[in-house]
Amino acid sequence: MSDANSLDALIQALKRLPGVGIKSAQRMAFHLLQHDRAAAQYLARALQDACTLVKHCELCHTFTEHSVCATCMDEKRDHTKLCVVETPADQSAMERTGAYHGLYFVLMGKLSPLDGIGPHELGLKKLFDRACDGEVQEVILATNFTAEGEATAHVISEALKVRGIKPTRLARGVPVGSELEYVDLGTIAHALVDRR
Amino acid sequence: MSDANSLDALIQALKRLPGVGIKSAQRMAFHLLQHDRAAAQYLARALQDACTLVKHCELCHTFTEHSVCATCMDEKRDHTKLCVVETPADQSAMERTGAYHGLYFVLMGKLSPLDGIGPHELGLKKLFDRACDGEVQEVILATNFTAEGEATAHVISEALKVRGIKPTRLARGVPVGSELEYVDLGTIAHALVDRR
Ligand SMILES: [Zn+2]
Ligand SMILES: [Zn+2]
């Protein structure tokens, strides 16, 4: 696009963002350099800070800057319930229903054999250890109602049954084929009450 | 989404990219921190490098790391022709046709009165000075065939006529309403030959 190598490098770097193709990357680079260099500098700093500071909660595996996240540390929550979700965005959707007051385990992904993500890569052992720690009495599977989310729930369910735990699943009030973070909150709240 | 302030800051920073909403920003942040921190570091460096190194060519106004860009420095190009385009991506589309061997002036935008971009904000004086430097004998207006691109071409055309220069415009082989960088190269090449 130019004789500026640093501009070409920026376009290539932006293209590595999910959902960003070459045209979008060019437009982003043009916008940042022509109209909003402050945003570029801000993004550069934000990326570095996040890479330095963000790690995983030792208990629930979600993103946090601390060894244990604020949710897991909250004494007022019901520590006997553990809700398994795929991502922090899904956890956030559960929270916004106001219908759940237990703890979470955030898988930070889902089983996806075609991408080489099996139970080991997803770190399911950590979930099983957590579910069997004696304090947890109910595990609620709230993975997405997609093919991969259902398969993930099934594998976790079978593994927990072997360990003497019978998990519940969000009721099928959630439209099949949809992703949790896009579902309206009333539907999620209903599905939580009707969990089976 | 979490108790990690640096993660929230990263999401806000990504949201400032054009075309990126809150959901996309969350997905990008999740992807970078969970799966590709190397890409995050690479992007942070690329942003800083580009902000430091990329400036505008003194002659054609496009992005370059030098005071005058490689295209303007190229002795083999026809220095009597000046093609006016909106963005470096449009210039790149013109180049790929292989049908033009003159120089460029890159507006780095277009007239957009609703956004407060008038002739002064767009820096048209620099174009007029360049067009009247005695070396340029033909100015080809290759702004986009959108309403704003046409208006920009019209304003430039009128101003150049006052200065004794009658510019040409790419022929309307280019589909009206479309943006140049998405048009197939043959159409652009034809429109260049038929310029009026
Ligand atoms: Zn936690
Ligand atoms: Zn130049």
Side-chain angles (χ1 to χ4, degrees):
Chain A
M1 178 155 142
S2 74
D3 67 342
N5 292 334
S6 60
L7 173 58
D8 294 334
L10 175 57
I11 292 168
Q12 292 307 315
L14 288 164
K15 207 155 72 71
R16 280 176 69 171
L17 292 171
V20 176
I22 179 72
K23 292 282 181 194
S24 302
Q26 284 177 349
R27 284 180 177 239
M28 286 173 178
F30 178 83
H31 173 80
L32 290 174
L33 291 174
Q34 184 69 15
H35 300 297
D36 203 354
R37 292 198 180 205
Q41 302 276 12
Y42 175 53
L43 178 55
R45 270 195 307 278
L47 286 162
Q48 283 171 328
D49 287 351
C51 283
T52 306
L53 296 171
V54 174
K55 46 195 180 181
H56 292 100
C57 172
E58 288 172 10
L59 287 178
C60 74
H61 213 219
T62 196
F63 289 135
T64 178
E65 292 177 3
H66 314 283
S67 50
V68 175
C69 77
T71 306
C72 289
M73 292 281 277
D74 188 346
E75 287 297 328
K76 278 175 278 174
R77 301 191 75 105
D78 182 350
H79 284 235
T80 68
K81 288 189 171 60
L82 192 69
C83 179
V84 179
V85 293
E86 291 181 18
T87 67
D90 294 334
Q91 176 183 4
S92 178
M94 285 294 295
E95 283 294 289
R96 289 198 305 276
T97 69
Y100 180 71
H101 306 286
L103 296 183
Y104 291 92
F105 190 92
V106 186
L107 296 170
M108 305 302 270
K110 54 187 179 272
L111 293 178
S112 183
L114 291 179
D115 302 315
I117 313 288
H120 178 73
E121 287 72 23
L122 198 54
L124 289 188
K125 183 172 182 311
K126 194 167 163 160
L127 165 60
F128 300 150
D129 290 347
R130 179 89 175 84
C132 300
D133 69 354
E135 193 176 23
V136 173
Q137 288 167 24
E138 181 182 2
V139 176
I140 302 165
L141 299 178
T143 53
N144 286 321
F145 281 72
T146 56
E148 286 174 333
E150 291 277 24
T152 305
H154 179 74
V155 167
I156 293 172
S157 180
E158 294 302 305
L160 287 178
K161 279 183 204 156
V162 169
R163 288 164 174 80
I165 298 171
K166 167 116 183 48
T168 55
R169 178 88 169 107
L170 285 194
R172 279 190 185 271
V174 178
V176 175
S178 64
E179 295 186 310
L180 214 58
E181 67 171 296
Y182 297 105
V183 173
D184 80 275
L185 305 184
T187 304
I188 297 179
H190 247 102
L192 186 71
V193 172
D194 292 345
R195 67 184 180 267
R196 56 189 166 74
Chain B
M1 179 155 143
S2 74
D3 67 343
N5 292 334
S6 60
L7 173 57
D8 295 333
L10 176 57
I11 292 169
Q12 291 307 315
L14 288 165
K15 206 154 75 69
R16 280 176 70 171
L17 293 171
V20 175
I22 179 72
K23 292 282 180 195
S24 301
Q26 285 178 348
R27 285 181 177 239
M28 287 173 177
F30 179 82
H31 174 80
L32 290 174
L33 291 174
Q34 184 69 16
H35 300 297
D36 203 353
R37 292 198 180 206
Q41 303 275 14
Y42 175 54
L43 178 54
R45 269 197 307 277
L47 286 161
Q48 283 172 329
D49 287 352
C51 283
T52 306
L53 297 171
V54 175
K55 48 195 178 180
H56 292 100
C57 172
E58 288 171 12
L59 287 178
C60 74
H61 213 219
T62 196
F63 290 135
T64 178
E65 292 177 3
H66 314 282
S67 50
V68 174
C69 78
T71 305
C72 289
M73 292 282 277
D74 188 348
E75 289 296 328
K76 278 175 280 172
R77 301 192 76 105
D78 182 350
H79 285 235
T80 68
K81 288 189 172 59
L82 192 68
C83 179
V84 180
V85 292
E86 293 182 17
T87 66
D90 295 333
Q91 177 182 3
S92 180
M94 286 293 295
E95 283 295 288
R96 289 198 305 276
T97 68
Y100 180 70
H101 306 286
L103 297 183
Y104 292 92
F105 190 92
V106 187
L107 297 170
M108 306 302 270
K110 53 186 178 268
L111 292 178
S112 183
L114 292 179
D115 302 316
I117 312 290
H120 178 74
E121 287 71 22
L122 197 54
L124 289 188
K125 183 171 183 311
K126 193 166 164 162
L127 166 60
F128 301 148
D129 290 347
R130 180 90 175 82
C132 301
D133 69 355
E135 193 175 24
V136 173
Q137 290 167 23
E138 181 181 3
V139 176
I140 302 164
L141 299 178
T143 53
N144 286 322
F145 281 72
T146 57
E148 286 174 334
E150 292 277 24
T152 303
H154 179 73
V155 168
I156 294 171
S157 182
E158 294 303 306
L160 287 178
K161 280 181 204 158
V162 169
R163 289 165 174 79
I165 297 171
K166 166 115 184 48
T168 55
R169 178 90 170 105
L170 286 194
R172 279 191 184 272
V174 178
V176 174
S178 64
E179 295 187 310
L180 213 60
E181 66 172 295
Y182 297 106
V183 174
D184 81 275
L185 305 183
T187 305
I188 298 180
H190 247 103
L192 185 71
V193 172
D194 292 345
R195 67 182 179 269
R196 52 185 168 77

